[in-house]
Amino acid sequence: KLIPDKYYKTINDIPYTELYEKGFRLILTDLDNTLISYKETDPTKELYDWLKMVTEIGFEVIIVSNSKKSFKLNFIFLCQDLLPLHNA
């Protein structure tokens, strides 16, 4: 089972530098209702700022979504056609 050790209210509360120093290198996250509101139709400035900040620290970022939205950002994006992964 994957059970989190810590919980944070927002993505901005996470100590990314501390995690990177501990050896973490990948951020795997959901898009809708995690990084942006489900109501958003375009990536927000806050999303771009967050992505820039974590990649400058050195993280690789994978964002998954089952949304029909199509964003072109500089990260790996797994779209609705791959989710849900029933056989995973």
Side-chain angles (χ1 to χ4, degrees):
K1 290 183 180 181
L2 295 175
I3 300 172
D5 294 334
K6 298 187 178 174
Y7 296 87
Y8 298 94
K9 188 170 178 98
T10 72
I11 61 168
N12 297 316
D13 296 331
I14 299 170
Y16 296 104
T17 301
E18 179 183 319
L19 292 173
Y20 193 83
E21 289 170 354
K22 289 182 178 181
F24 293 90
R25 297 294 184 261
L26 174 70
I27 297 172
L28 173 63
T29 185
D30 183 45
L31 179 66
D32 301 302
N33 292 328
T34 302
L35 297 179
I36 63 171
S37 166
Y38 187 77
K39 298 174 188 175
E40 294 291 337
T41 57
D42 293 306
T44 62
K45 179 184 181 317
E46 291 80 10
L47 175 57
Y48 284 111
D49 291 346
W50 174 82
L51 185 59
K52 181 177 186 242
M53 184 261 304
V54 295
T55 56
E56 284 178 351
I57 290 172
F59 283 100
E60 291 188 50
V61 179
I62 298 175
I63 298 177
V64 295
S65 177
N66 60 357
S67 171
K68 296 186 187 304
K69 300 172 195 168
S70 176
F71 299 149
K72 187 162 185 160
L73 299 171
N74 188 21
F75 58 76
I76 298 170
F77 185 80
L78 300 178
C79 67
Q80 65 170 359
D81 296 336
L82 300 177
L83 298 173
L85 299 175
H86 295 289
N87 297 330

